[in-house]
Amino acid sequence: MIVKNEAKMIDRCLNSVNGIVNEIIIVDTGSTDSTKEIGENHGARIYPYQWSNNFSEARNYGLSYATGDWILWLDADEELDETDKNNLPKILGDTKANILALPVLNYHGLTEPVDKNHLFLIYQPRLFRNHLSIKFINRIHENVHLPENIDQFIENISVSIHHYGYLKQITDEKHKGRRNLRLLEIELSEPSHSPWIEYHIASEYYRNNQYEKAFMYVNQAIVAFIQKGLMPPSLLYKLKYAILIETNSLDGAWPSIEKAILLYPDYVDLHFYKGYILYEKKEYVESLESFEKCLELGENNTKYLILKGVGTFKAWHYKGLCLEHLGRTAEAQAAFECEENSLLY
């Protein structure tokens, strides 16, 4: 873990790994509250670290002290799912993979308690074998990097991580947007920087409701990937059309979203955006088809960042609205009942 002034959050995080991990390594970058004391109460080893505006360097510093066979990395505003975590010992004993991806539930909204239906789900590599020279890369939004001689296969497992760091109260208190933009601008100044930097800058502006800047940077990211001969990742198109919908720029979103769907035909969020755009344009028959496609795809595709509900209750809701507009009242009522039932799970 990397921490600084996490006294409000860290106890919950460390409680969630109690009985699961054999050692806790905390890299502290200058806490002035009781973070270090709380960590020590959980048996953690605390290593002071001079912050260098580089998350990967700090994480790799922590790795240098790890002695166990496996590394689990978390942030203080996260916790392992109470039920799922008990499956970890068996999973680690059985797997042949060197790296495991866990589903991270990113909650959004104002503050806690969270609404369990307000989240984005994405699988991220959070567990990997130690002593294989696996390191972190990137100044911010750090990723696990596997040496070329290491098997690159990543196994997905169903041990969830709950992440609360995108709640508005937390981002405001920690000035995360300002910090992230500062680090991203440093990366942007590097001539060989990855197009992911433009995407992450766009995301920060989007979260701050600065949609014009967000749209400019996400388009720059798309172009940069294409110029490198790479297909722009699905996240870029998800963000682009989220911005267009948020700004009610339906003419800019339709029919160009069809091209994004051709690239990622199994991405439920893009089909949901298409359905919403068509619904707002009063094209109810075509909109209905899109929401039925969402229900067919569901929300279990581990390749994508998925907004909870786009393959279940949100899709049922809009399907019901479309059916109402088409005069199919009984079918609409059945769709709304399915919406209610899916909210229960």
Side-chain angles (χ1 to χ4, degrees):
M1 300 178 68
I2 308 171
V3 301
K4 181 180 179 181
N5 293 336
E6 295 287 1
K8 292 181 179 179
M9 307 290 289
I10 194 171
D11 192 57
R12 174 172 59 186
C13 178
L14 295 180
N15 278 329
S16 78
V17 298
N18 182 40
I20 299 296
V21 300
N22 297 316
E23 63 180 358
I24 300 172
I25 294 168
I26 294 178
V27 175
D28 186 90
T29 62
S31 293
T32 55
D33 61 5
S34 58
T35 295
K36 289 181 283 189
E37 289 76 9
I38 295 170
E40 289 167 348
N41 289 340
H42 283 272
R45 303 204 305 274
I46 314 294
Y47 296 96
Y49 182 79
Q50 182 65 45
W51 177 240
S52 59
N53 289 322
N54 192 308
F55 282 92
S56 287
E57 288 181 358
R59 289 210 189 273
N60 290 332
Y61 179 73
L63 283 181
S64 69
Y65 291 100
T67 64
D69 294 330
W70 285 90
I71 303 293
L72 167 69
W73 61 284
L74 295 171
D75 287 327
D77 54 15
E78 298 175 331
E79 64 174 330
L80 278 184
D81 185 84
E82 186 64 29
T83 302
D84 293 346
K85 70 180 185 182
N86 296 316
N87 300 325
L88 264 181
K90 185 176 188 312
I91 291 171
L92 296 183
D94 293 344
T95 187
K96 298 295 189 291
N98 291 318
I99 188 164
L100 305 176
L102 281 62
V104 181
L105 284 61
N106 297 289
Y107 295 98
H108 59 93
L110 296 178
T111 187
E112 295 192 59
V114 296
D115 183 334
K116 293 299 179 72
N117 288 315
H118 288 180
L119 62 88
F120 290 92
L121 171 66
I122 191 168
Y123 276 70
Q124 293 180 336
R126 291 301 194 94
L127 263 167
F128 57 89
R129 294 185 192 272
N130 198 8
H131 315 302
L132 295 178
S133 299
I134 297 174
K135 299 292 183 183
F136 290 92
I137 59 171
N138 299 331
R139 181 183 301 272
I140 184 171
H141 300 296
E142 63 276 23
N143 291 321
V144 174
H145 177 70
L146 284 71
E148 290 184 3
N149 63 324
I150 299 296
D151 185 351
Q152 302 291 306
F153 171 70
I154 298 177
E155 180 182 347
N156 294 322
I157 64 172
S158 56
V159 179
S160 301
I161 296 172
H162 301 274
H163 177 218
Y164 307 101
Y166 288 133
L167 295 174
K168 190 174 187 306
Q169 179 185 5
I170 295 174
T171 58
D172 288 351
E173 285 178 357
K174 292 187 167 294
H175 307 291
K176 282 188 174 182
R178 188 189 314 162
R179 176 205 66 189
N180 291 353
L181 277 173
R182 185 177 70 252
L183 297 182
L184 288 165
E185 285 165 0
I186 295 173
E187 288 286 329
L188 189 65
S189 66
E190 298 291 335
S192 60
H193 72 268
S194 164
W196 278 112
I197 300 303
E198 281 89 347
Y199 164 77
H200 289 306
I201 292 174
S203 296
E204 294 298 334
Y205 282 125
Y206 177 75
R207 276 195 286 271
N208 201 36
N209 302 326
Q210 294 177 267
Y211 299 122
E212 186 174 341
K213 288 185 176 181
F215 192 68
M216 178 184 71
Y217 277 104
V218 76
N219 279 326
Q220 287 181 9
I222 290 171
V223 170
F225 273 106
I226 293 172
Q227 288 175 340
K228 288 178 176 289
L230 301 171
M231 186 165 77
S234 59
L235 280 173
L236 277 67
Y237 292 109
K238 176 180 172 65
L239 179 57
K240 175 177 179 174
Y241 289 99
I243 295 167
L244 289 171
I245 288 171
E246 198 72 42
T247 56
N248 201 33
S249 304
L250 301 184
D251 290 336
W254 180 258
S256 66
I257 194 170
E258 294 275 50
K259 296 178 182 177
I261 290 174
L262 284 174
L263 296 176
Y264 297 101
D266 56 347
Y267 194 179
V268 63
D269 290 58
L270 292 180
H271 286 279
F272 185 84
Y273 289 165
K274 175 185 173 181
Y276 178 83
I277 292 163
L278 290 167
Y279 179 81
E280 290 296 309
K281 292 174 73 68
K282 305 187 188 308
E283 302 287 348
Y284 301 120
V285 173
E286 293 82 357
S287 178
L288 176 61
E289 291 174 356
S290 290
F291 293 122
E292 287 176 338
K293 181 66 175 180
C294 291
L295 294 167
E296 175 191 327
L297 289 171
E299 300 172 3
N300 297 318
N301 196 322
T302 60
K303 295 186 296 184
Y304 300 122
L305 174 70
I306 294 177
L307 174 64
K308 185 172 183 180
V310 293
T312 52
F313 60 87
K314 292 179 186 289
W316 281 117
H317 178 76
Y318 276 100
K319 178 177 179 177
L321 293 178
C322 289
L323 289 166
E324 278 187 336
H325 284 289
L326 294 171
R328 296 158 62 178
T329 308
E331 292 174 80
Q333 184 57 39
F336 291 136
E337 288 175 4
C338 288
E339 175 193 1
E340 289 298 318
N341 290 335
S342 62
L343 279 166
L344 298 175
Y345 298 99

